[in-house]
Every structure is written in structure tokens, then in C-alpha cells.
Amino acid sequence: MARAVSSRRKWTFTILAWALAFLIFFPILWTILTSFKTEGDAAAIPPKFLFFDWTFENYGIVQERSNYFKFAMNSVILALGSTFFALIIAIPSAWGMAFSPGKRTKDLLMWMLSTKMMPPVGALIPIYLIFRDFGLLDTRGGLIAVLMLLNLPIIIWMLYTYFKEIPAEILEASRMDGASVWKELVYVLTPMAIPGIASTILLNVILAWNEAFWTLALTTKDAAPLPQFIASYSSPEGLFWAKLSAASTMAIAPILVLGWFAQKQLVRGLTFGAVK
Amino acid sequence: MGTISLKNVRKVFGDHVIIPGADLDIKNGEFVVFVGPSGCGKSTLLRMIAGLEDLTSGAIAIDGKDVSQAAPSERGLAMVFQSYALYPHMSVRNNIAFGLKMAGVPKAEIDSKVAKAAATLNLTDYLDRKPRQLSGGQRQRVAIGRAIVRQPQAFLFDEPLSNLDAALRVNMRVFIMQLHKDLSATMIYVTHDQVEAMTMADRIVVLNKGVIEQVGSPLELYNNPDSLFVAGFIGSPKMNFVTGSEAAKQKAHTIGIRPEHIDIVEGKGTWNGKIALAEHLGADSFLHVDADGAGRLVVRAPGEFRGKEGGAIALKPDMSRLHRFDDMGGVIR
Ligand SMILES: Nc1ncnc2c1ncn2[C@@H]1O[C@H](COP(=O)(O)OP(=O)(O)O)[C@@H](O)[C@H]1O
Ligand SMILES: [Mg+2]
């Protein structure tokens, strides 16, 4: 009897989980579907789900009208650049906090996280003015700095929780074995931390790739990444749902593919090392 | 070679004085055991010797050289941790070889040393496995292998057997003692288990709340404990303590007598009472006696003694084996 009940529960939860996953995925699915419709079908009421005239013309038009690769290139540079510099700062900081914590380490971590609770608009005007006065507007360097600072708290937190999982005694054992700080770092610490560092990189690339608020506010042309590319199709003059959707699909495709292949790493990363 | 000396070594964590000041001289080749209840500062003291923990003040010398400020890697010691602390991403072979690699030993020499250590430790068939594929006892042996290949000045063990089951623990205990004989190296061994301390040590250092209560050979501590604490900690079952009028008769605040130093007599004894409980171990039995005037006493009886629970019993302590303590817990000689 107990078996039957538990198997029924299992089914219920499985169906529920799939339903929820579908619900979450639906907007993306809808965007992708819409990108294959004509503008007429895209705006049709009632909406057409699968039975419409499938067409690739939106992709062609979008490709012709704007330089997708320039935006994509900027996105890649911003995502990788901000992640790279963030790691250079975050690895030593997290290392220090995990292995030789001070009295205020916990407070420091909380304080860093609290900066993520502030609405970004609050910092928009000062940062905009700083960018304007230092000639950083619409530069990749400026944007890399902002994206890095934006995600640094999360990165440090993630790495910190990963490093915390590494038993200090293993590092001490390597010290007893005669390893210098540098050798301890190369032969013992880093190999043990690689899964954690990898998921951190992955998550940060995704966050930076999708960042729209700051990229829309601080770029116009030269440094503009894919969110600008999408935004350029939401014009007030007319509704071009299909083209907007095609642009969006093109913008999210690379990160979607990356996410798909790195699912396992990502789940590990998002649970902040709670799952072994 | 492996002499270790501590001079007024002190450790403070924040506001907590963990080790108020320890002095100790360890001779070359000696097997010294730090024993004491959990939380008394044994690991802290060992880690200070290892260099993993800074000294608040005081000095440590190894082989006559002051190493108080030296990094762990400069002290020439090897340590076996309670958690084994193996490198999880390395094979058994590389775990054992790591210290030699760090020291820049040539590859051929590393291979032969690792092979020799593995043979001693019965690990030859496991050299290519990862630590997670080993049992607890095997991991323990890898940790020991990692220590012995380096031929250190001294070995430090921090409760190395406490994660093993009872049978394996006895085997490993004998193994470590044999290792000490074969290598004749200095070893410092930390444990909270007084049986381990008694069976393994050349000299025992009893710690209580960070203070070295007494240092001596197992028999010295057994026969002449300096304090109530040492008397109660060393020996199993524990020494009986009696306070009140019975102690006052001996001009002491507390008197102590071990279970094996109380005789069971016919007729009337010094203390008379009833057997409350009897533990029969075969070779002998331990009787828990409610004695008039002295309270609950544990008495060792030879195996053939057939006292029944609830039965009357008369006891006579061996007065030459009686320990007297003052109200501060110090011994009165
Ligand atoms: N890093 C530390 N910070 C603060 N207190 C510590 C630290 N390490 C140990 N202690 C304290 O020092 C005391 C002795 O610890 P330890 O040496 O591990 O005891 P033992 O090994 O005898 O069980 C304990 O009360 C412990 O809480
Ligand atoms: Mg300890």
C-alpha cells in the first residue's frame, strides 16, 4: 500500500514540476515561435500557437538591418571581460575570508550582499555622471568595470561558500608536506576548487550577458551589446513583434546553448555548493 | 636529532586563554602522548609545535634550533590528522609522494621510497586509487605513509585512530607502536583515550584546561598521581574518591583508592556494604558497592568471585596504595 501511495505522490510531483518548468519556459518558447511568424500572424487575436505560416524572413530582415555580430561581439567581450576581472579580485578575497576569517568577515559578506538589495536606479545618476565626466560612456572598458562591480558580491559569495567546503586540514597537510604558499595554491587549492570556480564563471557570464539595465543606460553604439540590439526593435512607431522576437531569439541563443551544455555545473553553482 | 622543547608556550584566542604557559622537553626517539579531556587544548599545543598555529608568546625549539617563527614546512615535522586530510584529487601514490615532490627529490628515488612505504603499509595494490575509493583504515595508512616517506625529525599524530572502529583501532595502535620501534623516531601522539596513552607512551603529558598537570611514565602516573585530576583520569575503571569523615580520618580532604587495591575480606572490613551491581568480564569482575560511610565504590574481584547483587560484602583497602588529596586537589605525600 505504502508503495502505491508513494508512487502516486511521485507522479503528482513529476507532473507538477513539468508544469512549473513549462510555465517558466513559456515566454521563451513564445518568443521563439513568434520569431517565425509574419507580422500579421504575430499580432493576430486570438494568438496562433503552432498553426501559422512558418517563415524565416524576420531573421533575414534583422540581419540586414543591423549588424548582429557587432553586438554579439560586444556581449562576448563584456561578459568574459567582466568575469575575468571579477575573478582576479574575487578569488583572493574569497580565499582570505574562507581560510583566515577575521572577526568582521561575516559582516563584510552581509554588507557586500546588501549592495545587491539596492535598486540599481538609485546609483544610476551618479554613475552616469561619472561616466560622462570621465568619457566612459559607450566604452567597453567602462561597461566592463560596471558589470564587474555589479556581480562581484555574488561571485565572492559563491566562491566563498565553495572554498569553505574545502577542509582547512587538507591545506595544512600540504603545508606540513613542505609546500610553499604558491605550490599549495597550484597543486592543492586550485584543483580542489575548480568545479566551484567553473560554475561561478558560468553563472557570471550569464548574468553579464543578460544585463540590460546598465548596458542600455550607458551605451549607445560602439560598446552596445545584445540588449541594445533587442531594444532597437521596440520602436514607438509600430509594433514589430515578429522582428523583435527574432532579434531576442538571436540574442539569447548563444547563452541558451551554453546553459544547456553546462546544466550540471550550473545547478551546482546555483545551489551555492549545497549539493555535493 | 628529534628533540623538541617548549618554553613557556602560551596561546590566547581572543579573550580565551587556551594554553596559559607550557614547558616541556621531549627527548630524541621518545614516544610522548598528550592526553586530556576533549577541549583541553591538546590539538592546539600540537598545532603550535607543527607551526600551524602561532604562539602568543614563548618559544619552541626543535633539535636545539628555535623555530618559534618558522613556517610548518621549515620545521621538518610530519603530521597525521584526525580527518586524515588526504588530497582528494590525487591518487594514493601521489598523496604519499607529495612531500618528496615538494622537496625536489629525484623521480626514481621518489618511486622507490613510495613503493617501500606502500609495502610496509599494505597499500601496494591501492597505489592508483583515489582516497574516496578506500576504506577508513586504508585512508589512515595512506596518511601514515605520507608522513613516513619524508623521514621527518618527528611525527605528530592528532587523534589518528578516533575515526576507526574498535577492532581496527587496536590493530593500528600496535602498528604505530611497531613503527616507532622500527624508525626510533620522536613521536608526539594526541588522544583523549587514557587506555591509548597508557599502552603506547614512553611518557604521558596530562593536560587539563590547557595546563600540563603532570608528566611521567605510565606507571609513574598510575602509582603517583600529583593531583586529583590525574588520579581520576588515568586508570580504568576510575579511582574511587571518598570525602568526608572517612577522608578526615586520613587527614585529607579526599582519599583515593583504585578498584584493584581494595581487598574483599571475610567478616568485618574497613568498609562494609552491599553489592549494587556486578560487571563480569571473565578474567575478573567489577563490583559496584554501596559502602557505609564511603559511598559508592568500585572494587575489582578475581574472576572466580561469585558475589550476588544485593549481597553483603566487607572491604579492606590496601593502605599503602591509598592516595590523599588536599582541598585544592593536590596530592599530600
Ligand atoms: N581557532 C580557534 N579560535 C578560538 N578558539 C579555539 C580555536 N581553536 C581551538 N579553540 C578552543 O581551544 C580549546 C582547545 O581546543 P583543542 O586544542 O582543539 O582541544 P582538544 O584537542 O584537546 O580537544 C577549545 O575550547 C576550543 O574551543
Ligand atoms: Mg583535538
Side-chain angles (χ1 to χ4, degrees):
Chain A
M1 250 348 255
R3 262 195 110 76
V5 171
S6 87
S7 122
R8 207 167 66 203
R9 266 176 65 142
K10 214 167 110 186
W11 272 103
T12 317
F13 278 114
T14 307
I15 291 167
L16 224 67
W18 276 98
L20 202 65
F22 183 74
L23 205 67
I24 293 168
F25 181 64
F26 186 75
I28 295 175
L29 179 68
W30 192 249
T31 305
I32 295 173
L33 287 174
T34 305
S35 73
F36 292 107
K37 295 174 184 172
T38 59
E39 288 297 349
D41 280 341
I45 291 183
K48 298 183 174 175
F49 189 58
L50 284 172
F51 305 103
F52 53 83
D53 296 328
W54 289 70
T55 170
F56 282 97
E57 70 172 355
N58 298 311
Y59 287 92
I61 295 169
V62 166
Q63 182 62 12
E64 254 167 50
R65 276 221 323 232
S66 50
N67 189 351
Y68 170 78
F69 286 102
K70 196 179 132 234
F71 288 102
M73 194 37 105
N74 278 333
S75 270
V76 169
I77 290 171
L78 295 182
L80 295 185
S82 68
T83 304
F84 176 77
F85 288 108
L87 280 179
I88 287 184
I89 296 176
I91 289 183
S93 333
W95 226 292
M97 287 193 283
F99 292 113
S100 43
K103 272 205 193 97
R104 301 255 170 275
T105 298
K106 280 263 141 66
D107 300 339
L108 192 64
L109 279 163
M110 267 328 283
W111 175 75
M112 282 194 303
L113 200 64
S114 74
T115 60
K116 291 297 286 179
M117 298 170 191
M118 182 182 70
V121 196
L124 178 60
I125 290 173
I127 289 192
Y128 188 87
L129 294 179
I130 291 170
F131 264 57
R132 190 194 62 190
D133 294 351
F134 286 86
L136 292 169
L137 283 174
D138 207 18
T139 61
R140 288 170 184 162
L143 218 58
I144 284 178
V146 164
L147 290 181
M148 175 196 89
L149 292 173
L150 201 64
N151 293 327
L152 205 51
I154 304 254
I155 296 188
I156 292 182
W157 260 91
M158 273 184 75
L159 288 177
Y160 171 79
T161 40
Y162 273 115
F163 293 168
K164 271 295 234 210
E165 277 186 16
I166 297 175
E169 282 197 345
I170 296 180
L171 307 185
E172 290 173 350
S174 76
R175 259 167 257 169
M176 294 301 296
D177 265 346
S180 60
V181 173
W182 177 245
K183 284 181 171 168
E184 173 186 330
L185 206 121
V186 173
Y187 293 111
V188 184
L189 280 170
T190 310
M192 285 199 292
I194 274 179
I197 294 174
S199 5
T200 308
I201 290 177
L202 209 61
L203 183 71
N204 193 62
V205 165
I206 293 173
L207 287 176
W209 187 278
N210 290 338
E211 177 58 40
F213 180 80
W214 289 101
T215 52
L216 291 181
L218 298 175
T219 64
T220 45
K221 213 169 93 251
D222 293 343
L226 288 166
Q228 277 287 16
F229 170 75
I230 302 173
S232 67
Y233 285 90
S234 76
S235 60
E237 298 97 65
L239 287 172
F240 299 108
W241 288 121
K243 287 179 199 70
L244 181 64
S245 298
S248 301
T249 307
M250 287 165 78
I252 60 172
I255 210 74
L256 214 60
V257 172
L258 179 74
W260 182 265
F261 282 112
Q263 274 184 67
K264 237 180 162 165
Q265 266 316 317
L266 209 62
V267 170
R268 249 194 81 117
L270 289 172
T271 48
F272 273 38
V275 182
K276 287 213 179 167
Chain B
M1 243 200 66
T3 63
I4 297 173
S5 97
L6 313 188
K7 293 235 157 42
N8 198 17
V9 166
R10 185 176 162 83
K11 182 69 187 180
V12 178
F13 280 124
D15 308 330
H16 300 282
V17 180
I18 305 298
I19 313 276
D23 289 283
L24 185 66
D25 278 302
I26 296 171
K27 293 193 267 300
N28 184 32
E30 207 174 12
F31 197 113
V32 172
V33 174
F34 293 175
V35 71
S38 153
C40 71
K42 306 178 295 287
S43 297
T44 305
L45 196 57
L46 192 74
R47 290 165 55 81
M48 285 196 285
I49 295 172
L52 295 172
E53 210 78 71
D54 296 333
L55 309 187
T56 303
S57 65
I60 295 178
I62 297 174
D63 200 13
K65 215 176 82 211
D66 187 353
V67 293
S68 310
Q69 306 299 324
S73 55
E74 297 161 18
R75 300 192 182 194
L77 306 173
M79 183 152 168
V80 176
F81 294 85
Q82 181 174 358
S83 64
Y84 315 144
L86 303 179
Y87 311 121
H89 55 293
M90 293 183 201
S91 65
V92 169
R93 183 192 310 281
N94 288 334
N95 262 280
I96 297 176
F98 188 74
L100 298 173
K101 278 187 191 158
M102 292 300 108
V105 174
K107 175 116 183 25
E109 195 183 332
I110 293 181
D111 288 345
S112 80
K113 282 189 169 169
V114 170
K116 186 159 162 261
T120 319
L121 292 158
N122 268 331
L123 287 170
T124 307
D125 295 341
Y126 304 100
L127 280 174
D128 293 315
R129 292 210 192 167
K130 290 281 170 62
R132 66 175 175 297
Q133 297 166 307
L134 302 179
S135 70
Q138 289 164 340
R139 288 178 201 185
Q140 175 67 78
R141 297 206 299 273
V142 176
I144 292 175
R146 195 167 62 177
I148 60 178
V149 281
R150 292 179 41 226
Q151 294 165 310
Q153 298 261 24
F155 290 86
L156 311 178
F157 295 90
D158 191 355
E159 311 219 13
L161 307 185
S162 56
N163 288 343
L164 300 178
D165 62 52
L168 210 50
R169 198 152 41 196
V170 175
N171 287 344
M172 284 308 290
R173 197 162 84 197
V174 174
F175 180 84
I176 292 174
M177 288 161 74
Q178 186 65 50
L179 198 68
H180 177 243
K181 275 228 159 56
D182 297 344
L183 302 174
S184 53
T186 310
M187 293 189 176
I188 305 179
Y189 187 104
V190 163
T191 180
H192 63 265
D193 180 352
Q194 63 90 24
V195 177
E196 261 175 35
M198 291 295 280
T199 50
M200 299 176 89
D202 292 328
R203 257 193 325 156
I204 297 179
V205 176
V206 183
L207 282 161
N208 181 24
K209 298 189 183 124
V211 177
I212 295 182
E213 287 263 337
Q214 193 172 356
V215 181
S217 72
L219 282 184
E220 275 164 19
L221 298 190
Y222 177 82
N223 290 324
N224 300 308
D226 280 346
S227 64
L228 203 61
F229 178 81
V230 175
F233 197 78
I234 299 292
S236 173
K238 268 179 63 144
M239 184 186 283
N240 295 294
F241 292 120
V242 180
T243 50
S245 61
E246 287 298 312
K249 276 187 209 160
Q250 306 295 332
K251 301 196 185 58
H253 180 267
T254 307
I255 52 172
I257 183 85
R258 295 194 185 278
E260 51 272 39
H261 299 146
I262 300 176
D263 291 327
I264 299 162
V265 293
E266 300 291 331
K268 203 167 147 49
T270 312
W271 296 315
N272 302 291
K274 273 201 179 70
I275 302 173
L277 279 170
E279 298 173 272
H280 297 290
L281 303 180
D284 37 36
S285 306
F286 292 104
L287 311 177
H288 298 244
V289 176
D290 284 323
D292 303 329
R296 176 67 67 96
L297 297 174
V298 177
V299 181
R300 190 174 90 178
E304 60 270 26
F305 182 82
R306 287 274 162 263
K308 279 199 213 67
E309 290 177 7
I313 190 167
L315 305 173
K316 190 164 171 298
D318 176 352
M319 294 309 281
S320 69
R321 296 290 206 149
L322 197 77
H323 302 269
R324 300 184 303 141
F325 303 97
D326 60 28
D327 56 351
M328 300 297 288
V331 78
I332 306 171
R333 289 235 159 87

